[in-house]
Amino acid sequence: MYRKYRRLSASFNFLLILTFLVFIQNKSLNLNNRTLPHAAIVTLIRSTNQSIQLTMNMMNSIMRFYFQYQSVSYPFLIFHDENFTLSMREHINSCLTITYPNIRILFASVNFQTSIQPNPSSYIEKPMSYRLMCRFWIHDVFYHPIIIQNQYDYLMRMDDDSSLFDSISDDLFEYMKRTRLDYFYRGKYKETDQTMNSIVPPEYRTDICIYNNFFIIRLNWYYQSRIIRNLVENLLKNETILREYIGDGCIHQVMIDIDTNSRSEQTKQIPYGHNYHIMPIGADFYYFIKDDEIFSNLSFICKQKI
């Protein structure tokens, strides 16, 4: 009788183990087969050692505080000008892959050459390089060949001097897809220059703009919205976007406002910093803090030299 009981017990334990293994396998298959958002994290860098170091700091913060908690990581796409060298590219790749073997990094060149001169009456404190950057985040990045060829669904912007400084447990791209959002951002700021108000319809004029050094956008919304296309085409016409100073964050605000069908969300749950502007969890706007300790803790140390 005792031997029979032992055989039954062993059979029962075997069935339990087998059931558990099948459950784990099915769960793994479900994770592997789920349709993930086709997305990338994009940044625009200068061809300087300082910008390269800042970029690696930013990427390190994402790997530590975001991808560490996800079942999948998304590629980084680094846009650069014509002065970016092969050794700079290899330095970024080699430094980061040592610490994060599964990191994916792509590079793409941007032409920032222009003969356009700023209108003397425009906000002359913003040089042409800054205006080209604004045009990049209003138009150029979305139509760059590498974006078109890869057919991304979503893009997340993170500047080289931006960083996360605490954990994010949710997959933000999946959140965008799940909630059917077109645009997702962290904060706002007050714009002092009023040039844009002479370009957009009166009902959409504003001096409160999106702090878009961090944002996520659904690309098909940008491509398919006729009213947004018309807005951007008017800005590109006669190079108005370069002759005048028009902040990209303000245009993004108008894009959301002018398309009444758009679905956007400002989050307060992302601990985000840009330069010395800090947005802790719960904050609507940024505040200025010159605290080197916060940023030194995020520094990525690479012993290799460029």
Coordinates of all heavy atoms in Angstrom, one line a residue, residues 43-46 50-59 61 157-164 211 213 272-278 295 298:
T43 N 18.0 60.8 -31.3 CA 18.7 62.0 -30.7 C 19.5 62.6 -31.8 O 19.9 62.0 -32.8 CB 19.6 61.6 -29.5 OG1 20.1 62.7 -28.8 CG2 20.8 60.7 -30.0
L44 N 19.8 63.9 -31.6 CA 20.6 64.7 -32.6 C 21.8 65.2 -31.8 O 21.7 65.9 -30.8 CB 19.8 65.9 -33.1 CG 20.4 66.9 -34.0 CD1 20.9 66.2 -35.3 CD2 19.5 68.0 -34.3
I45 N 23.0 64.9 -32.3 CA 24.2 65.2 -31.5 C 25.1 66.1 -32.3 O 25.0 66.2 -33.6 CB 25.0 64.0 -31.0 CG1 25.7 63.3 -32.2 CG2 24.0 63.0 -30.3 CD1 26.6 62.2 -31.7
R46 N 26.0 66.8 -31.6 CA 27.1 67.6 -32.2 C 28.3 66.7 -32.4 O 28.5 65.7 -31.6 CB 27.4 68.8 -31.4 CG 26.3 69.7 -31.2 CD 26.7 70.9 -30.3 NE 25.6 71.8 -30.0 CZ 24.7 71.7 -29.0 NH1 24.8 70.6 -28.2 NH2 23.8 72.5 -28.9
Q50 N 32.4 66.5 -26.1 CA 31.4 66.8 -25.1 C 30.0 66.2 -25.4 O 29.4 65.6 -24.6 CB 31.3 68.3 -24.8 CG 30.3 68.6 -23.7 CD 30.1 70.1 -23.5 OE1 30.2 70.9 -24.5 NE2 29.7 70.6 -22.3
S51 N 29.6 66.4 -26.6 CA 28.3 65.9 -27.0 C 28.3 64.4 -27.0 O 27.3 63.8 -26.6 CB 27.9 66.5 -28.4 OG 26.6 66.0 -28.8
I52 N 29.4 63.8 -27.4 CA 29.4 62.3 -27.4 C 29.4 61.8 -26.0 O 28.6 60.8 -25.7 CB 30.7 61.9 -28.1 CG1 30.6 62.1 -29.6 CG2 31.0 60.4 -27.8 CD1 31.9 61.9 -30.4
Q53 N 30.1 62.4 -25.1 CA 30.0 62.0 -23.7 C 28.6 62.2 -23.1 O 28.0 61.3 -22.4 CB 31.0 62.8 -22.8 CG 31.0 62.4 -21.3 CD 31.3 60.9 -21.1 OE1 32.4 60.4 -21.6 NE2 30.4 60.1 -20.5
L54 N 27.9 63.3 -23.4 CA 26.6 63.5 -23.0 C 25.6 62.5 -23.5 O 24.7 62.0 -22.9 CB 26.1 64.9 -23.4 CG 26.7 66.1 -22.6 CD1 26.3 67.4 -23.3 CD2 26.3 66.1 -21.2
T55 N 25.8 62.2 -24.8 CA 25.0 61.2 -25.5 C 25.1 59.8 -24.8 O 24.1 59.1 -24.5 CB 25.3 61.0 -26.9 OG1 25.1 62.3 -27.6 CG2 24.5 60.0 -27.6
M56 N 26.3 59.4 -24.4 CA 26.5 58.1 -23.7 C 25.9 58.2 -22.3 O 25.3 57.2 -21.9 CB 28.0 57.8 -23.7 CG 28.5 57.4 -25.1 SD 30.2 56.6 -25.0 CE 31.2 58.0 -24.3
N57 N 26.0 59.3 -21.7 CA 25.3 59.5 -20.4 C 23.8 59.3 -20.5 O 23.1 58.6 -19.7 CB 25.5 60.9 -19.8 CG 27.0 61.1 -19.4 OD1 27.8 60.2 -19.4 ND2 27.3 62.4 -19.1
M58 N 23.2 59.9 -21.5 CA 21.8 59.8 -21.8 C 21.4 58.3 -22.1 O 20.4 57.8 -21.5 CB 21.4 60.7 -22.9 CG 19.9 60.6 -23.4 SD 19.6 59.3 -24.7 CE 20.4 60.1 -26.1
M59 N 22.1 57.7 -22.9 CA 21.8 56.3 -23.3 C 22.0 55.4 -22.1 O 21.2 54.5 -21.9 CB 22.7 55.9 -24.4 CG 22.4 56.6 -25.7 SD 23.7 56.4 -27.0 CE 23.3 54.8 -27.6
S61 N 21.4 56.3 -19.0 CA 20.3 56.5 -18.1 C 19.1 55.7 -18.6 O 18.3 55.2 -17.8 CB 20.0 58.0 -18.0 OG 19.3 58.5 -19.1
R157 N 12.0 61.2 -28.6 CA 13.1 62.1 -28.6 C 13.8 62.2 -27.3 O 13.1 62.3 -26.2 CB 12.7 63.5 -29.0 CG 13.8 64.6 -28.9 CD 13.3 66.0 -29.2 NE 14.4 67.0 -29.0 CZ 14.2 68.3 -29.3 NH1 13.1 68.7 -29.7 NH2 15.2 69.1 -29.1
M158 N 15.1 62.0 -27.3 CA 15.9 62.3 -26.1 C 17.2 63.0 -26.5 O 17.9 62.5 -27.3 CB 16.3 61.0 -25.4 CG 15.2 60.3 -24.5 SD 14.8 61.2 -23.0 CE 16.3 60.8 -22.0
D159 N 17.3 64.2 -26.1 CA 18.5 65.0 -26.4 C 19.8 64.5 -25.7 O 19.7 63.8 -24.7 CB 18.3 66.5 -26.0 CG 17.4 67.2 -27.0 OD1 16.9 66.6 -28.0 OD2 17.1 68.4 -26.8
D160 N 20.9 64.9 -26.3 CA 22.2 64.4 -25.7 C 22.3 64.8 -24.2 O 22.9 64.1 -23.4 CB 23.4 64.8 -26.5 CG 23.6 66.3 -26.6 OD1 22.7 67.1 -26.1 OD2 24.6 66.7 -27.2
D161 N 21.8 66.0 -23.9 CA 21.9 66.5 -22.5 C 20.7 66.2 -21.7 O 20.4 66.9 -20.7 CB 22.3 68.0 -22.5 CG 21.3 68.8 -23.3 OD1 20.5 68.3 -24.0 OD2 21.4 70.1 -23.2
S162 N 19.9 65.2 -22.1 CA 18.7 64.8 -21.3 C 19.1 63.5 -20.6 O 20.0 62.8 -21.0 CB 17.5 64.6 -22.3 OG 17.1 65.8 -22.8
S163 N 18.2 63.2 -19.6 CA 18.5 61.9 -18.9 C 17.2 61.6 -18.1 O 16.4 62.4 -17.7 CB 19.7 62.0 -18.0 OG 19.5 63.0 -17.0
L164 N 17.1 60.3 -17.8 CA 16.2 59.8 -16.8 C 17.0 59.7 -15.5 O 18.1 59.4 -15.5 CB 15.6 58.5 -17.2 CG 14.9 58.4 -18.5 CD1 14.4 57.0 -18.8 CD2 13.7 59.3 -18.6
Y211 N 7.5 71.4 -23.8 CA 8.9 71.2 -23.5 C 9.3 69.9 -24.2 O 9.3 68.9 -23.6 CB 9.2 71.2 -22.0 CG 10.6 71.3 -21.6 CD1 11.1 72.5 -21.0 CD2 11.5 70.3 -21.8 CE1 12.4 72.6 -20.6 CE2 12.9 70.4 -21.4 CZ 13.3 71.6 -20.8 OH 14.6 71.8 -20.5
N213 N 11.9 68.5 -25.6 CA 13.2 67.8 -25.6 C 13.0 66.3 -25.2 O 13.9 65.5 -25.5 CB 14.2 68.5 -24.6 CG 14.4 69.9 -24.9 OD1 13.7 70.8 -24.6 ND2 15.5 70.2 -25.7
Y272 N 12.5 63.2 -15.3 CA 13.3 63.6 -16.4 C 14.0 64.9 -16.2 O 13.6 65.8 -15.5 CB 12.3 63.8 -17.6 CG 12.8 64.5 -18.8 CD1 13.6 63.8 -19.7 CD2 12.6 65.9 -19.1 CE1 14.2 64.4 -20.8 CE2 13.1 66.5 -20.2 CZ 13.9 65.8 -21.0 OH 14.5 66.4 -22.1
G273 N 15.2 64.9 -16.7 CA 16.0 66.1 -16.7 C 16.6 66.5 -18.0 O 17.0 65.6 -18.8
H274 N 16.7 67.8 -18.3 CA 17.4 68.3 -19.5 C 18.3 69.4 -19.1 O 17.8 70.5 -18.6 CB 16.3 68.7 -20.5 CG 16.9 69.4 -21.7 ND1 16.6 70.7 -22.0 CD2 17.7 69.0 -22.7 CE1 17.3 71.1 -23.1 NE2 18.0 70.0 -23.5
N275 N 19.6 69.3 -19.4 CA 20.5 70.2 -19.0 C 20.4 70.4 -17.4 O 20.5 69.5 -16.7 CB 20.3 71.5 -19.7 CG 21.6 72.4 -19.8 OD1 22.4 72.4 -18.8 ND2 21.8 73.1 -20.9
Y276 N 20.1 71.6 -17.0 CA 19.8 71.8 -15.5 C 18.4 72.1 -15.2 O 18.0 72.6 -14.2 CB 20.7 73.0 -15.0 CG 22.2 72.6 -14.9 CD1 23.1 73.2 -15.8 CD2 22.6 71.7 -14.0 CE1 24.4 72.9 -15.7 CE2 23.9 71.4 -13.9 CZ 24.9 72.0 -14.7 OH 26.2 71.6 -14.6
H277 N 17.5 71.6 -16.1 CA 16.1 71.7 -15.9 C 15.6 70.3 -15.4 O 15.8 69.3 -16.1 CB 15.3 72.0 -17.2 CG 15.6 73.4 -17.7 ND1 15.3 73.8 -18.9 CD2 16.2 74.5 -17.1 CE1 15.6 75.1 -19.1 NE2 16.2 75.5 -18.0
I278 N 15.0 70.3 -14.2 CA 14.6 69.0 -13.6 C 13.1 69.0 -13.5 O 12.4 69.9 -13.1 CB 15.2 68.9 -12.2 CG1 16.8 69.0 -12.3 CG2 14.8 67.6 -11.5 CD1 17.4 67.9 -13.1
F295 N 23.8 64.8 -11.7 CA 24.3 64.5 -13.1 C 25.6 63.6 -13.0 O 25.8 62.8 -13.9 CB 24.5 65.8 -13.9 CG 23.2 66.5 -14.1 CD1 22.9 67.6 -13.3 CD2 22.3 66.1 -15.1 CE1 21.7 68.3 -13.4 CE2 21.1 66.8 -15.2 CZ 20.8 67.9 -14.4
L298 N 25.0 60.1 -13.0 CA 24.5 59.5 -14.3 C 25.6 59.4 -15.3 O 25.3 58.9 -16.4 CB 23.3 60.4 -14.8 CG 22.1 60.5 -14.0 CD1 21.1 61.5 -14.6 CD2 21.4 59.1 -13.8

